[in-house]
Amino acid sequence: MIQRAAALGLFAACVLAHAASASDTPTAEDVVWGCDDAGYVLPTTEYKHAVLGDDIEYKGLFLLIHTATGVLPATFELPEGQVYEDIAPRCGDLDGDGDAEVVAVVSDAKVGARLAVYDKQRGPIDETPPIGRGFRWLAPVGIADVDGDGQNDVAYVETPHIGGTLRVWTLVDGKLTEIANAAGFSNHRIGEDFITGGMRDCGSGTEMIVPAFDWSELLSVRMEGSSLVRRTISGETDLATVERALECEID
């Protein structure tokens, strides 16, 4: 379960502001830390959506970029009309080089949300296409090897409140490529400050644990070939049940 601690437009429009020294690094209380030296900064109320329960989102993604000469603090700041609409950034090795990339949700008032991937050495890598309509959101499920090819993938539920499409993407030669999708899922309800579900591996490969779109049952979703195959694991979708499922206590 991922809970909130208190989106990138075209990458060309994203402003990179390198801090001059470690003394310019934001203090811990100024950063909504996600993982591996990545967090959201620069809170704003400009994006009037409040899907996560309040009207505060973030204009900046703060990274500690590791270079040959040391660690360089940097902030990627979004242009007007775009915010990081998210619980926290997530990290995982998507390209198989042994270093984690950073994954963030970026929302645009005109074209909606998209998923963006950053490299901690090079900055922005790629992003998924925007949903296409303002104030349409996506909620990440997690990062894991969904298709069993040895390389991590990233999954999210697009429009979990009104559409419920589960999408899985992989990074190929620096480009995000969609490898599977299916309708009928959710992992968030409007106003909640957490995302329900996630990834698990109980010994037989990656499963995505998410509620059905109507929240009537908890599902395990596996990728078989190019298809996403669902299986009901519980008739309950409360947080305690979801946590037990993620811990492999419910199969």
Side-chain angles (χ1 to χ4, degrees):
M1 203 74 58
I2 301 174
Q3 187 161 4
R4 201 175 196 185
L8 182 55
L10 296 176
F11 283 129
C14 194
V15 177
L16 172 60
H18 287 294
S21 68
S23 62
D24 295 320
T25 301
T27 57
E29 60 268 23
D30 296 327
V31 182
V32 179
W33 291 104
C35 51
D36 289 10
D37 304 328
Y40 293 132
V41 293
L42 307 177
T44 179
T45 58
E46 74 173 69
Y47 195 74
K48 305 300 183 181
H49 194 200
V51 72
L52 290 163
D54 60 35
D55 59 357
I56 298 175
E57 305 304 339
Y58 297 89
K59 294 294 289 185
L61 174 64
F62 176 75
L63 300 178
L64 293 175
I65 297 178
H66 297 260
T67 71
T69 58
V71 177
L72 178 64
T75 299
F76 291 88
E77 185 175 352
L78 297 173
E80 184 177 357
Q82 298 176 17
V83 296
Y84 293 101
E85 188 179 21
D86 199 0
I87 307 297
R90 296 152 188 82
C91 296
D93 182 8
L94 291 172
D95 59 9
D97 67 353
D99 294 321
E101 280 70 48
V102 178
V103 174
V105 178
V106 180
S107 290
D108 185 296
K110 295 181 179 179
V111 297
R114 50 194 169 240
L115 199 74
V117 178
Y118 295 80
D119 181 274
K120 286 190 292 182
Q121 280 73 37
R122 303 186 302 274
I125 298 176
D126 198 19
E127 58 187 9
T128 64
I131 292 173
R133 182 175 176 181
F135 303 106
R136 293 292 184 264
W137 188 59
L138 62 86
V141 176
I143 300 170
D145 181 9
V146 175
D147 60 359
D149 67 349
Q151 178 175 322
N152 284 333
D153 312 294
V154 59
Y156 61 77
V157 178
E158 179 178 291
T159 55
H161 317 118
I162 60 173
T165 300
L166 178 60
R167 298 188 184 276
V168 183
W169 297 74
T170 195
L171 195 64
V172 180
D173 295 328
K175 297 294 183 182
L176 285 166
T177 300
E178 188 173 20
I179 57 175
N181 68 77
F185 305 94
S186 185
N187 59 349
H188 184 264
R189 288 179 281 207
I190 293 175
E192 291 181 339
D193 64 351
F194 56 89
I195 293 172
T196 299
M199 304 282 202
R200 76 177 188 182
D201 185 342
C202 300
S204 58
T206 298
E207 299 170 88
M208 295 173 281
I209 305 300
V210 291
F213 181 68
D214 64 1
W215 290 78
S216 63
E217 54 189 359
L218 188 63
L219 305 172
S220 161
V221 186
R222 288 181 177 271
M223 189 167 173
E224 297 182 5
S226 60
S227 300
L228 296 179
V229 179
R230 71 192 74 189
R231 175 175 63 89
T232 300
I233 58 175
S234 178
E236 305 293 334
T237 56
D238 61 278
L239 295 183
T241 299
V242 175
E243 291 288 358
R244 289 181 61 210
L246 291 173
E247 293 295 324
C248 300
E249 297 176 5
I250 298 174
D251 190 42

